[in-house]
Amino acid sequence: MQHPDTRRPLLIVGAGGFGREVLSYIEDDNPIFAVKGFLDSRTNALDSTPRNVPIISNPLTYTPKPEEVFLAALGDPQQRFKYTAALRDKYDAEFITVAHPRANVNRHAQIRHGCIITPHVGISVDVNIGEFTHIQEYTVIGHDAKIGNWCQINSHCTIAGGARIGNFVTIHPNSVITSRAVIGDGVTVGPGSVVIGKIPAEITILGNPARRFSFR
């Protein structure tokens, strides 16, 4: 006799590369949630990489159903904020936090809702991570570090104990954030950077030590 699936239906906002990665993480081992589909404004987003999970609707116009929960799998924090706005503000939809079983998250770390912690991430004691922040593979976060809301911390980064990172910050791969670093809101840290000291808001930095950078 086949038993009914009692897992809660999960919808992933974003059917791009990161959305497909998140789908694979959920399929790896998640006894609580079953992926119902993607929400994406691009109806053809899966045409070249088809999955057995469909694109159901546009996240800006979708009306949540009872028991549904959501994950925002968009790598750009600003896009993540934009495409979850209606679900958050109009419907007060429930966005869950998911930490992959192969992540090492200390039980004394505080991680708010809407976060995605991918495989092989290490999060130490008394780390504080804000809502809708993503931490990518092989990143290590030291004790007492504080990371704000809507951040994107990419792969192979080291965030030393006591570092302070604001909201809507993007840190590209292989960067090192030292223990005395304080990064303002909206900062982009270029790949391979070493961040020392206080970084003002809304700039791009790059290098060792990291300094203000412009593509012009």
PDB file of all heavy atoms in Angstrom, residues 51-69:
ATOM      1  N   ARG A  51      13.688  19.674 -16.601  1.00  0.00           N
ATOM      2  CA  ARG A  51      13.584  18.951 -15.340  1.00  0.00           C
ATOM      3  C   ARG A  51      12.175  18.376 -15.240  1.00  0.00           C
ATOM      4  O   ARG A  51      11.262  18.782 -15.953  1.00  0.00           O
ATOM      5  CB  ARG A  51      13.845  19.888 -14.151  1.00  0.00           C
ATOM      6  CG  ARG A  51      15.267  20.422 -14.055  1.00  0.00           C
ATOM      7  CD  ARG A  51      16.256  19.300 -13.748  1.00  0.00           C
ATOM      8  NE  ARG A  51      17.589  19.788 -13.464  1.00  0.00           N
ATOM      9  CZ  ARG A  51      18.505  20.076 -14.387  1.00  0.00           C
ATOM     10  NH1 ARG A  51      18.215  19.936 -15.668  1.00  0.00           N
ATOM     11  NH2 ARG A  51      19.716  20.487 -14.041  1.00  0.00           N
ATOM     12  N   ASN A  52      12.006  17.433 -14.311  1.00  0.00           N
ATOM     13  CA  ASN A  52      10.673  16.879 -14.091  1.00  0.00           C
ATOM     14  C   ASN A  52       9.854  17.756 -13.158  1.00  0.00           C
ATOM     15  O   ASN A  52       8.778  17.373 -12.715  1.00  0.00           O
ATOM     16  CB  ASN A  52      10.756  15.446 -13.547  1.00  0.00           C
ATOM     17  CG  ASN A  52      11.512  15.372 -12.230  1.00  0.00           C
ATOM     18  OD1 ASN A  52      12.029  16.377 -11.743  1.00  0.00           O
ATOM     19  ND2 ASN A  52      11.579  14.175 -11.664  1.00  0.00           N
ATOM     20  N   VAL A  53      10.382  18.930 -12.814  1.00  0.00           N
ATOM     21  CA  VAL A  53       9.683  19.915 -11.994  1.00  0.00           C
ATOM     22  C   VAL A  53       9.376  21.118 -12.885  1.00  0.00           C
ATOM     23  O   VAL A  53      10.297  21.717 -13.447  1.00  0.00           O
ATOM     24  CB  VAL A  53      10.554  20.340 -10.789  1.00  0.00           C
ATOM     25  CG1 VAL A  53       9.876  21.443 -10.002  1.00  0.00           C
ATOM     26  CG2 VAL A  53      10.831  19.137  -9.895  1.00  0.00           C
ATOM     27  N   PRO A  54       8.123  21.509 -13.032  1.00  0.00           N
ATOM     28  CA  PRO A  54       7.763  22.538 -14.015  1.00  0.00           C
ATOM     29  C   PRO A  54       7.920  23.964 -13.484  1.00  0.00           C
ATOM     30  O   PRO A  54       8.038  24.197 -12.274  1.00  0.00           O
ATOM     31  CB  PRO A  54       6.287  22.237 -14.274  1.00  0.00           C
ATOM     32  CG  PRO A  54       5.801  21.732 -12.939  1.00  0.00           C
ATOM     33  CD  PRO A  54       6.938  20.920 -12.381  1.00  0.00           C
ATOM     34  N   ILE A  55       7.903  24.913 -14.424  1.00  0.00           N
ATOM     35  CA  ILE A  55       7.706  26.319 -14.069  1.00  0.00           C
ATOM     36  C   ILE A  55       6.202  26.540 -13.974  1.00  0.00           C
ATOM     37  O   ILE A  55       5.477  26.374 -14.952  1.00  0.00           O
ATOM     38  CB  ILE A  55       8.326  27.256 -15.116  1.00  0.00           C
ATOM     39  CG1 ILE A  55       9.847  27.076 -15.136  1.00  0.00           C
ATOM     40  CG2 ILE A  55       7.958  28.711 -14.813  1.00  0.00           C
ATOM     41  CD1 ILE A  55      10.538  27.858 -16.230  1.00  0.00           C
ATOM     42  N   ILE A  56       5.740  26.903 -12.792  1.00  0.00           N
ATOM     43  CA  ILE A  56       4.304  26.985 -12.536  1.00  0.00           C
ATOM     44  C   ILE A  56       3.742  28.360 -12.852  1.00  0.00           C
ATOM     45  O   ILE A  56       2.642  28.480 -13.411  1.00  0.00           O
ATOM     46  CB  ILE A  56       4.015  26.612 -11.066  1.00  0.00           C
ATOM     47  CG1 ILE A  56       4.292  25.120 -10.856  1.00  0.00           C
ATOM     48  CG2 ILE A  56       2.580  26.945 -10.678  1.00  0.00           C
ATOM     49  CD1 ILE A  56       4.133  24.670  -9.425  1.00  0.00           C
ATOM     50  N   SER A  57       4.492  29.413 -12.512  1.00  0.00           N
ATOM     51  CA  SER A  57       3.927  30.751 -12.660  1.00  0.00           C
ATOM     52  C   SER A  57       5.025  31.793 -12.503  1.00  0.00           C
ATOM     53  O   SER A  57       6.190  31.472 -12.249  1.00  0.00           O
ATOM     54  CB  SER A  57       2.831  30.975 -11.608  1.00  0.00           C
ATOM     55  OG  SER A  57       2.208  32.236 -11.769  1.00  0.00           O
ATOM     56  N   ASN A  58       4.632  33.046 -12.655  1.00  0.00           N
ATOM     57  CA  ASN A  58       5.493  34.203 -12.417  1.00  0.00           C
ATOM     58  C   ASN A  58       5.446  34.540 -10.922  1.00  0.00           C
ATOM     59  O   ASN A  58       4.355  34.670 -10.361  1.00  0.00           O
ATOM     60  CB  ASN A  58       4.982  35.383 -13.248  1.00  0.00           C
ATOM     61  CG  ASN A  58       5.884  36.596 -13.188  1.00  0.00           C
ATOM     62  OD1 ASN A  58       6.505  36.885 -12.170  1.00  0.00           O
ATOM     63  ND2 ASN A  58       5.947  37.318 -14.299  1.00  0.00           N
ATOM     64  N   PRO A  59       6.585  34.711 -10.264  1.00  0.00           N
ATOM     65  CA  PRO A  59       6.540  34.996  -8.819  1.00  0.00           C
ATOM     66  C   PRO A  59       5.887  36.332  -8.478  1.00  0.00           C
ATOM     67  O   PRO A  59       5.437  36.527  -7.345  1.00  0.00           O
ATOM     68  CB  PRO A  59       8.016  35.002  -8.414  1.00  0.00           C
ATOM     69  CG  PRO A  59       8.762  35.269  -9.673  1.00  0.00           C
ATOM     70  CD  PRO A  59       7.964  34.623 -10.767  1.00  0.00           C
ATOM     71  N   LEU A  60       5.817  37.240  -9.446  1.00  0.00           N
ATOM     72  CA  LEU A  60       5.208  38.540  -9.190  1.00  0.00           C
ATOM     73  C   LEU A  60       3.687  38.492  -9.189  1.00  0.00           C
ATOM     74  O   LEU A  60       3.034  39.419  -8.703  1.00  0.00           O
ATOM     75  CB  LEU A  60       5.695  39.570 -10.214  1.00  0.00           C
ATOM     76  CG  LEU A  60       7.203  39.837 -10.203  1.00  0.00           C
ATOM     77  CD1 LEU A  60       7.569  40.814 -11.317  1.00  0.00           C
ATOM     78  CD2 LEU A  60       7.659  40.365  -8.850  1.00  0.00           C
ATOM     79  N   THR A  61       3.123  37.407  -9.742  1.00  0.00           N
ATOM     80  CA  THR A  61       1.656  37.316  -9.850  1.00  0.00           C
ATOM     81  C   THR A  61       1.083  36.068  -9.185  1.00  0.00           C
ATOM     82  O   THR A  61      -0.133  35.913  -9.132  1.00  0.00           O
ATOM     83  CB  THR A  61       1.225  37.316 -11.329  1.00  0.00           C
ATOM     84  OG1 THR A  61       1.861  36.218 -12.011  1.00  0.00           O
ATOM     85  CG2 THR A  61       1.629  38.614 -12.008  1.00  0.00           C
ATOM     86  N   TYR A  62       1.923  35.205  -8.649  1.00  0.00           N
ATOM     87  CA  TYR A  62       1.455  33.941  -8.082  1.00  0.00           C
ATOM     88  C   TYR A  62       0.747  34.160  -6.753  1.00  0.00           C
ATOM     89  O   TYR A  62       1.176  34.957  -5.919  1.00  0.00           O
ATOM     90  CB  TYR A  62       2.638  32.991  -7.878  1.00  0.00           C
ATOM     91  CG  TYR A  62       2.233  31.622  -7.392  1.00  0.00           C
ATOM     92  CD1 TYR A  62       1.593  30.727  -8.238  1.00  0.00           C
ATOM     93  CD2 TYR A  62       2.503  31.225  -6.084  1.00  0.00           C
ATOM     94  CE1 TYR A  62       1.230  29.459  -7.792  1.00  0.00           C
ATOM     95  CE2 TYR A  62       2.142  29.955  -5.641  1.00  0.00           C
ATOM     96  CZ  TYR A  62       1.505  29.092  -6.502  1.00  0.00           C
ATOM     97  OH  TYR A  62       1.134  27.833  -6.062  1.00  0.00           O
ATOM     98  N   THR A  63      -0.357  33.436  -6.556  1.00  0.00           N
ATOM     99  CA  THR A  63      -1.090  33.465  -5.289  1.00  0.00           C
ATOM    100  C   THR A  63      -0.788  32.181  -4.510  1.00  0.00           C
ATOM    101  O   THR A  63      -1.142  31.089  -4.966  1.00  0.00           O
ATOM    102  CB  THR A  63      -2.603  33.568  -5.523  1.00  0.00           C
ATOM    103  OG1 THR A  63      -2.892  34.746  -6.288  1.00  0.00           O
ATOM    104  CG2 THR A  63      -3.354  33.635  -4.199  1.00  0.00           C
ATOM    105  N   PRO A  64      -0.120  32.291  -3.376  1.00  0.00           N
ATOM    106  CA  PRO A  64       0.230  31.075  -2.617  1.00  0.00           C
ATOM    107  C   PRO A  64      -1.000  30.309  -2.151  1.00  0.00           C
ATOM    108  O   PRO A  64      -2.034  30.893  -1.835  1.00  0.00           O
ATOM    109  CB  PRO A  64       1.008  31.624  -1.416  1.00  0.00           C
ATOM    110  CG  PRO A  64       1.477  32.969  -1.838  1.00  0.00           C
ATOM    111  CD  PRO A  64       0.420  33.506  -2.752  1.00  0.00           C
ATOM    112  N   LYS A  65      -0.834  28.988  -2.091  1.00  0.00           N
ATOM    113  CA  LYS A  65      -1.880  28.110  -1.606  1.00  0.00           C
ATOM    114  C   LYS A  65      -1.531  27.634  -0.192  1.00  0.00           C
ATOM    115  O   LYS A  65      -0.370  27.694   0.219  1.00  0.00           O
ATOM    116  CB  LYS A  65      -2.052  26.921  -2.562  1.00  0.00           C
ATOM    117  CG  LYS A  65      -2.502  27.355  -3.963  1.00  0.00           C
ATOM    118  CD  LYS A  65      -2.529  26.176  -4.913  1.00  0.00           C
ATOM    119  CE  LYS A  65      -3.043  26.621  -6.291  1.00  0.00           C
ATOM    120  NZ  LYS A  65      -2.227  27.713  -6.873  1.00  0.00           N
ATOM    121  N   PRO A  66      -2.540  27.174   0.549  1.00  0.00           N
ATOM    122  CA  PRO A  66      -2.273  26.725   1.918  1.00  0.00           C
ATOM    123  C   PRO A  66      -1.186  25.655   1.961  1.00  0.00           C
ATOM    124  O   PRO A  66      -1.087  24.817   1.074  1.00  0.00           O
ATOM    125  CB  PRO A  66      -3.623  26.149   2.365  1.00  0.00           C
ATOM    126  CG  PRO A  66      -4.628  26.875   1.531  1.00  0.00           C
ATOM    127  CD  PRO A  66      -3.975  27.100   0.199  1.00  0.00           C
ATOM    128  N   GLU A  67      -0.360  25.720   2.964  1.00  0.00           N
ATOM    129  CA  GLU A  67       0.727  24.774   3.247  1.00  0.00           C
ATOM    130  C   GLU A  67       1.953  24.974   2.368  1.00  0.00           C
ATOM    131  O   GLU A  67       2.999  24.365   2.625  1.00  0.00           O
ATOM    132  CB  GLU A  67       0.248  23.305   3.111  1.00  0.00           C
ATOM    133  CG  GLU A  67      -0.824  22.913   4.099  1.00  0.00           C
ATOM    134  CD  GLU A  67      -0.362  23.093   5.542  1.00  0.00           C
ATOM    135  OE1 GLU A  67       0.752  22.657   5.861  1.00  0.00           O
ATOM    136  OE2 GLU A  67      -1.110  23.695   6.338  1.00  0.00           O
ATOM    137  N   GLU A  68       1.890  25.800   1.328  1.00  0.00           N
ATOM    138  CA  GLU A  68       3.060  26.008   0.483  1.00  0.00           C
ATOM    139  C   GLU A  68       4.114  26.847   1.198  1.00  0.00           C
ATOM    140  O   GLU A  68       3.807  27.783   1.933  1.00  0.00           O
ATOM    141  CB  GLU A  68       2.673  26.696  -0.819  1.00  0.00           C
ATOM    142  CG  GLU A  68       1.904  25.803  -1.772  1.00  0.00           C
ATOM    143  CD  GLU A  68       1.528  26.518  -3.056  1.00  0.00           C
ATOM    144  OE1 GLU A  68       1.609  27.758  -3.127  1.00  0.00           O
ATOM    145  OE2 GLU A  68       1.125  25.808  -4.000  1.00  0.00           O
ATOM    146  N   VAL A  69       5.377  26.483   0.944  1.00  0.00           N
ATOM    147  CA  VAL A  69       6.509  27.258   1.445  1.00  0.00           C
ATOM    148  C   VAL A  69       7.411  27.585   0.256  1.00  0.00           C
ATOM    149  O   VAL A  69       7.287  26.984  -0.821  1.00  0.00           O
ATOM    150  CB  VAL A  69       7.287  26.507   2.540  1.00  0.00           C
ATOM    151  CG1 VAL A  69       6.432  26.320   3.776  1.00  0.00           C
ATOM    152  CG2 VAL A  69       7.788  25.159   2.027  1.00  0.00           C
TER     153      VAL A  69
END
